[in-house]
Amino acid sequence: MTWNKQKRFEALLTGTKADRPIVSGWHHFLDKEQTSADLAEATVEFAQKYDWDWVKINPRATYLAEAFGNTYDFTDYRWVFPKQTHAVVSSAKDLPKIEQVDVNNSAPLQEQLEAVRLIRQGLPDTPIIQTLFSPLTILMFLTGNSSYHDQTMYGSEDPLDFAILLQEDRAGVHRALHQIATTMAAYIVELDKAGVDGLFYATTGTAHPKLFDLATFNEFSRPYDMIVLDAMKKGRILHTCGPHADPARFDDYPVEGISWDTEAEGNPDLTISLQKTKVGGVDHHIFKDSDPAMIEQQVNKGLQATKDEPFLLVPNCAVAVDATEEALFTLRNSVK
């Protein structure tokens, strides 16, 4: 077989070894993420510069919450999040406001579909996957909450207590999550038409036990994750973010790969036994202050741990927006 980027990506995510592991990296383009043309241009240039084996598109972190009515100030950022100026749900009585969104008439979703089409044109031979958040993550944003137990949403002065929301209107939360999930499923159909090769499906920090215990997660995330993930049958990488991310929890999900932070507290390293293809290997925190030797050390450790199985080598999460070229080229060249 003559291997190329598409064949390697498809083989590795269907559990087959290729001639080598594949590598990619990503970060947000904060000054280039407000229009489809800008995002596409930045993504294509980044992919071509480093010759990544595959590309994860990094849209605005808030685009899915925007689709359901949240608003943000794109001139004011903290980390990768623009300042929230309005959250749709401020009390349980607002839950009925969350209705299934018509993808064809949603400016935020149409913007991203156009970006995908432009990226596909610019990278015709490179696998591309789009980033989605879980319905539970999106609902947390819509209530003014961060989806991490130790963080707040920038600009959200008085977020709704999510635990109280579950107590006050459990049925209403389920209904809202279903509306979000069916919207995401319809969006995925259009993403497929636009040319994506898969999804980067982030449950963000919702697996952390201080945010949701396992029973609550299984009630309010898992059923809606299934609705979304079942809408695409290829190239699905699930990312469970931050500490205590419990990647084994997702091993029976309808996905092809699982990504998690092997360096974060409470998380297993790459020697964990999983049925799904492992995606990760390098601490994303070390790309800002370039230390090629440390990157090479982690790459070698990751490749050794996965030498007998299919593997996608990437940072464990998005690298800093000011990650150095030296660090990124060190990652890229580690598997050439």
Side-chain angles (χ1 to χ4, degrees):
M1 176 189 294
T2 301
W3 291 98
N4 59 30
K5 291 182 178 182
Q6 285 284 354
K7 288 180 179 178
R8 290 188 184 100
F9 182 80
E10 292 169 4
L12 292 169
L13 281 179
T14 52
T16 303
K17 289 187 69 176
D19 59 329
R20 63 168 174 82
I22 58 177
V23 63
S24 189
W26 50 85
H27 62 66
H28 285 270
F29 306 101
L30 300 184
D31 59 342
K32 292 277 191 174
E33 64 176 23
Q34 278 75 52
T35 71
S36 56
D38 279 352
L39 178 60
E41 179 184 35
T43 302
V44 171
E45 287 181 357
F46 186 68
Q48 292 176 335
K49 179 175 183 176
Y50 296 100
D51 190 28
W52 299 123
D53 287 316
W54 60 283
V55 171
K56 171 191 176 298
I57 302 172
N58 254 25
R60 288 190 304 279
T62 56
Y63 88 100
L64 294 170
E66 293 168 44
F68 291 92
N70 269 24
T71 59
Y72 300 87
D73 179 358
F74 300 117
T75 67
D76 187 1
Y77 275 76
R78 184 179 71 189
W79 187 38
V80 300
F81 288 95
K83 186 175 183 179
Q84 176 191 292
T85 54
H86 172 68
V88 171
V89 180
S90 60
S91 69
K93 70 178 186 300
D94 292 326
L95 285 170
K97 295 179 181 178
I98 301 176
E99 296 285 354
Q100 182 173 346
V101 172
D102 180 355
V103 176
N104 292 323
N105 291 308
S106 169
L109 298 182
Q110 285 298 310
E111 176 190 354
Q112 297 306 320
L113 288 166
E114 177 61 15
V116 168
R117 287 188 283 266
L118 292 171
I119 294 167
R120 179 78 289 162
Q121 291 172 17
L123 301 171
D125 302 317
T126 301
I128 60 174
I129 68 174
Q130 176 62 305
T131 302
L132 271 74
F133 292 148
S134 68
L136 182 57
T137 295
I138 297 169
L139 183 57
M140 295 194 75
F141 284 11
L142 296 177
T143 61
N145 285 282
S146 166
S147 56
Y148 298 91
H149 81 96
D150 57 351
Q151 297 179 20
T152 58
M153 183 58 67
Y154 182 41
S156 182
E157 304 298 335
D158 189 24
L160 180 58
D161 188 317
F162 210 84
I164 292 176
L165 181 66
L166 296 183
Q167 294 172 6
E168 289 182 345
D169 193 355
R170 214 169 186 89
V173 171
H174 276 295
R175 179 192 171 280
L177 288 167
H178 188 268
Q179 298 301 309
I180 296 169
T182 53
T183 300
M184 292 300 97
Y187 173 50
I188 287 170
V189 172
E190 299 306 313
L191 284 171
D192 198 14
K193 294 177 185 176
V196 298
D197 297 281
L199 305 173
F200 192 86
Y201 184 78
T203 57
T204 59
T206 56
H208 197 294
K210 288 187 178 179
L211 198 58
F212 298 108
D213 62 34
L214 183 58
T216 303
F217 181 91
N218 285 340
E219 178 179 353
F220 290 100
S221 190
R222 180 174 280 262
Y224 307 105
D225 296 334
M226 298 301 162
I227 291 172
V228 179
L229 291 167
D230 280 340
M232 182 167 280
K233 306 297 184 185
K234 62 183 182 182
R236 297 162 295 187
I237 297 172
L238 183 141
H239 178 63
T240 175
C241 197
H244 300 282
D246 194 11
R249 174 185 309 188
F250 303 98
D251 207 22
D252 65 344
Y253 266 49
V255 297
E256 285 66 52
I258 297 178
S259 161
W260 74 100
D261 187 348
T262 56
E263 300 296 315
E265 180 184 3
N267 287 346
D269 63 20
L270 287 170
T271 62
I272 185 178
S273 178
L274 294 175
Q275 297 179 22
K276 312 300 183 182
T277 297
K278 298 168 187 175
V279 182
V282 184
D283 186 355
H284 58 289
H285 294 104
I286 63 177
F287 285 80
K288 180 176 181 179
D289 300 315
S290 176
D291 185 347
M294 184 176 292
I295 294 172
E296 290 173 356
Q297 180 182 23
Q298 292 200 5
V299 165
N300 292 334
K301 180 180 178 182
L303 294 177
Q304 181 64 28
T306 59
K307 65 180 180 178
D308 297 321
E309 55 190 297
F311 180 54
L312 277 62
L313 175 70
V314 299
N316 290 332
C317 199
V319 302
V321 296
D322 54 353
T324 68
E325 291 185 1
E326 181 182 23
L328 290 167
F329 273 119
T330 298
L331 175 66
R332 164 65 265 191
N333 294 330
S334 65
V335 296
K336 270 192 170 182

